[in-house]
Amino acid sequence: MYLTWLDWALIIGYIVFSFAIAIYFYRRAGKDTSEFFLSGRAMPWWLAGTSMVATTFAVDTPLLVTEIVAEDGIAGNWIWWNAAFGGMLTAFFFARLWRRSGVLTDVEFVELRYSGPPAAWLRGIKAVYFGLLMNIIIIGWVALAMETVIDVLFPELAVFGYESVSVLGVEIGAALLVVGVLVLGVAVYSLLSGLWGVMVTDLFQFVIAMGATIALAFLVLDMPEVGGVSGLREQLPDATFNLLPTIGGAAEGAAAFSLSALAFVAYAGVQWWSSWYPGSEPGGGGYIAQRMMSAKDEPNALFSMLWYVIAHFCLRPWPWIIVALAALVLYPDLDTPREGFVLVMRDVLPPGLLGLLFAAFLAAFMSTVSTQLNWGVSYLVNDFWGRFVYPDASEKHYVSVSRWLTFIVAVLSVVVTLNLDTIAEAWGLVLSASAGLGLVLILRWYWWRVNAWSELAATIMPVVLVVLALVLNMFGANVPGLQADFPVNLYSVVGATTVVWLAVTYMTRPTDQETLDAFYRKVHPGGPGWKPVAKRHPDVEADTGLKRLALDWLLGVIVVYATLFGTGYVILGPVEWGFMCLAVALGAAVLLWRDLNRQGRAAIFESVGAEEEEPVAPARTDGTAR
């Protein structure tokens, strides 16, 4: 056992504080589903944005980064760095539209945008597919990471005197059993507090987690075996420190990130707009859309997303990467590379700080699991149970069902954890099984012809292709492209999915004119894709200035990557490159800020062509206002 009484005091104090917040918000969360799932649509940008960052700061993320750096060097992080393109796109093109839509969940949006039985089928399928099936996989890999933390910090852990326990005939290790209890504990905390409690604790959790990981990075660099940044440079291959991949042939060094041009373009040019991934949905979605819809107005929705993208990519990565590099030096022969991060915690931190960082990991774990539970159950209740099973029940009934389902989803996610091996494997599976869907999620806002059949085809097709590839592998058959490893398989999956959903779009009837007109008058999206509808409604002032939004998007992308690279170069060298990148980031930030503050930028700072916004009533489960 590596934790002292001081460590345990900090951990217990954190848990008590979290549940105190949950109890404080219990009555407010129980008012109605709008309070439980969207905090009454009264969230300021800084709290909504920080909650997004805290949720994506899961316990699995630093462990995944350690796994990536051990196998591919720093540049391997392009598997998630590429998402900055899509995040900035969501901030400028979609945040205000989500807030304007007035829906309770992004799945409910389906019946606001589309019409008829296909829309109802799509809504129900997406509610179960994302709210249950994908959600328990995501919680499962987060639980897998937490199991690793507990395994390393508590190597002699035993429950009731046993290293493993049989539950319903299945042998479960003591560490996983503890994680299962934690997941159920988080379920209780989440079902008590609703989104208000989740988001307030997210702020607290993020501050603890960030501060503790920064402290860990400084302390591990001071270890004599590491010898600071210069020691890392001396003991690891040069290619490990590349921030951009080595295109083509293999680079020198076992930890070099060497990949083909096709693979790098798949990351930076295809994945960010084509694949659905929690926290990086093209056009926004999931708990990211939930946070934007919980904002008190459109400007707060935009700036919550902008703050999230900057914090997610510019503040968080480097402490993790430094610890991952140090772990390569300290533990070069690990069979499970993700354990390196936790081993550094165990061996470097003094009493008190170890407990604080374990509490930070517990905080990150609770933040992500509580958000995933609240978000996933919002689909199951609002878009399945309330839409198809009991559409006319009371708000008290829906809140009660929400709390029961929160607990049930938590139990199922623990079962999934038993069948996962690596975090990266789960990431690649999710990204492949949604490749091609992203383009529909973007275009449905800007092209009237996209219909429910389009999105249904784009949702199902990549899953079919991934399952087909797995079956062909089992029987030894070979279909070039389809059975390629991730991310190269994105080309074939995205290409085939795009062809299918476009064909389905033109082979099926458009969305009913009445639904399109109602959507256009409510959301008033801009762009040439709505011209036929706009002609019928000359009194509606649609969004304009899309070219300026594209410029803002480009400036935002420059701010993120120049800051990310600049910080890395300042830490690891060459320092002059770092200051050059930071100067570019500062210049782009000034231009972006000036443009956002430009007089007449109504497309950003207020609802275009709308009266002063009235409070939004709780949403009905049929997609209309209650």
Side-chain angles (χ1 to χ4, degrees):
M1 195 75 70
Y2 294 93
L3 274 67
T4 66
W5 68 267
L6 178 59
D7 297 314
W8 282 111
L10 289 167
I11 294 166
I12 293 170
Y14 163 73
I15 294 173
V16 169
F17 180 80
S18 295
F19 274 89
I21 292 175
I23 293 169
Y24 177 80
F25 284 105
Y26 173 75
R27 183 171 295 178
R28 181 167 185 170
K31 288 182 179 178
D32 54 48
T33 50
S34 179
E35 283 288 351
F36 192 84
F37 293 124
L38 287 182
S39 64
R41 303 182 194 268
M43 200 61 64
W45 67 268
W46 54 270
L47 185 54
T50 302
S51 178
M52 296 182 203
V53 185
T55 297
T56 54
F57 191 153
V59 66
D60 66 296
T61 319
L63 271 63
L64 173 68
V65 168
T66 305
E67 199 174 276
I68 288 170
V69 171
E71 296 175 2
D72 301 318
I74 294 175
N77 287 283
W78 275 98
I79 189 175
W80 65 280
W81 283 354
N82 71 79
F85 291 104
M88 280 297 173
L89 194 75
T90 299
F92 293 112
F93 284 88
F94 300 101
R96 70 194 192 286
L97 300 179
W98 277 116
R99 182 59 182 83
R100 199 179 298 163
S101 70
V103 295
L104 188 71
T105 70
D106 60 312
V107 172
E108 182 184 327
F109 171 84
V110 165
E111 286 195 291
L112 177 69
R113 173 63 177 81
Y114 309 130
S115 60
W121 273 97
L122 176 62
R123 183 176 177 180
I125 289 171
K126 291 190 72 166
V128 175
Y129 178 60
F130 290 109
L132 180 62
L133 300 180
M134 294 293 275
N135 197 27
I136 60 177
I137 293 174
I138 295 163
I139 297 174
W141 80 54
V142 174
L144 177 66
M146 195 67 196
E147 181 191 5
T148 301
V149 174
I150 291 174
D151 250 336
V152 174
L153 291 183
F154 307 97
E156 298 178 357
L157 178 69
V159 179
F160 306 120
Y162 297 96
E163 293 298 325
S164 63
V165 179
S166 179
V167 178
L168 298 177
V170 179
E171 284 295 318
I172 300 178
L176 181 57
L177 189 63
V178 171
V179 170
V181 172
L182 285 174
V183 171
L184 298 182
V186 175
V188 173
Y189 141 71
S190 181
L191 64 86
L192 287 174
S193 67
L195 190 61
W196 264 111
V198 168
M199 292 177 79
V200 171
T201 49
D202 276 352
L203 177 63
F204 176 62
Q205 291 160 355
F206 177 68
V207 172
I208 291 178
M210 253 340 284
T213 51
I214 290 171
L216 179 62
F218 275 105
L219 289 172
V220 76
L221 286 176
D222 279 342
M223 290 190 70
E225 298 90 338
V226 176
V229 172
S230 59
L232 292 175
R233 284 281 190 183
E234 291 173 5
Q235 298 178 73
L236 295 173
D238 289 341
T240 310
F241 299 88
N242 291 342
L243 303 188
L244 291 170
T246 303
I247 305 298
E252 295 180 4
F257 188 44
S258 177
L259 79 170
S260 67
L262 285 175
F264 177 60
V265 173
Y267 279 131
V270 178
Q271 180 185 316
W272 65 268
W273 58 263
S274 68
S275 290
W276 181 94
Y277 181 79
S280 301
E281 299 89 345
Y287 59 80
I288 296 297
Q290 183 189 42
R291 298 304 193 269
M292 291 186 287
M293 291 184 290
S294 74
K296 55 186 176 183
D297 54 31
E298 291 179 30
N300 276 273
L302 185 152
F303 282 106
S304 70
M305 189 66 196
L306 190 60
W307 163 237
Y308 159 64
V309 177
I310 292 172
H312 181 71
F313 293 99
C314 300
L315 295 183
R316 304 189 320 164
W318 288 109
W320 302 340
I321 291 171
I322 290 169
V323 174
L325 293 170
L328 286 178
V329 172
L330 296 172
Y331 318 105
D333 301 317
L334 282 179
D335 293 330
T336 308
R338 67 174 179 269
E339 291 181 354
F341 195 100
V342 191
L343 289 169
V344 171
M345 289 171 52
R346 185 195 71 183
D347 297 339
V348 172
L349 294 177
L353 274 180
L354 178 58
L356 183 64
L357 189 52
F358 181 76
F361 268 65
L362 191 60
F365 176 75
M366 291 179 68
S367 171
T368 300
V369 173
S370 62
T371 290
Q372 292 293 147
L373 289 172
N374 185 274
W375 158 70
V377 171
S378 73
Y379 285 6
L380 296 175
V381 172
N382 187 67
D383 303 300
F384 185 78
W385 186 268
R387 174 64 177 86
F388 299 103
V389 183
Y390 285 102
D392 298 315
S394 66
E395 283 295 316
K396 184 177 179 181
H397 169 83
Y398 291 133
V399 172
S400 177
V401 171
S402 300
R403 287 173 166 154
W404 276 106
L405 283 176
T406 298
F407 194 78
I408 292 169
V409 172
V411 172
L412 292 175
S413 67
V414 175
V415 175
V416 168
T417 308
L418 293 169
N419 298 290
L420 289 177
D421 295 321
T422 70
I423 301 168
E425 178 186 0
W427 271 42
L429 179 62
V430 169
L431 289 166
S432 298
S434 63
L437 171 61
L439 189 58
V440 176
L441 300 182
I442 290 172
L443 290 179
R444 65 185 182 176
W445 293 94
Y446 288 101
W447 185 27
W448 73 274
R449 190 61 180 83
V450 172
N451 61 24
W453 290 112
S454 312
E455 191 166 334
L456 189 58
T459 301
I460 294 173
M461 188 63 185
V463 177
V464 171
L465 292 174
V466 169
V467 171
L468 178 61
L470 293 174
V471 171
L472 290 173
N473 284 334
M474 289 174 57
F475 289 97
N478 182 35
V479 178
L482 180 61
Q483 293 167 267
D485 292 333
F486 176 83
V488 176
N489 66 339
L490 291 180
Y491 292 103
S492 57
V493 177
V494 170
T497 300
T498 302
V499 169
V500 168
W501 79 255
L502 281 173
V504 167
T505 300
Y506 286 108
M507 291 168 59
T508 55
R509 295 177 58 186
T511 298
D512 289 350
Q513 182 173 306
E514 181 181 351
T515 302
L516 287 173
D517 290 349
F519 176 79
Y520 183 76
R521 295 192 68 87
K522 183 178 182 65
V523 181
H524 42 87
W530 286 97
K531 278 186 178 180
V533 182
K535 288 180 180 179
R536 297 196 295 268
H537 302 278
D539 60 312
V540 176
E541 187 177 349
D543 284 354
T544 57
L546 297 186
K547 290 182 180 179
R548 296 306 298 261
L549 291 181
L551 175 62
D552 292 342
W553 169 71
L554 179 60
L555 289 171
V557 168
I558 292 171
V559 169
V560 168
Y561 286 117
T563 303
L564 176 66
F565 283 22
T567 306
Y569 286 131
V570 167
I571 295 171
L572 301 173
V575 175
E576 57 272 17
W577 289 18
F579 287 124
M580 287 173 57
C581 288
L582 292 176
V584 171
L586 179 61
V590 169
L591 291 174
L592 177 59
W593 185 250
R594 288 180 61 184
D595 195 56
L596 289 176
N597 281 282
R598 191 181 301 272
Q599 227 175 9
R601 294 293 289 123
I604 294 293
F605 289 105
E606 60 182 339
S607 300
V608 179
E611 301 281 333
E612 183 178 352
E613 190 173 32
E614 297 179 359
V616 180
R620 282 178 60 92
T621 53
D622 61 6
T624 61
R626 215 181 230 116

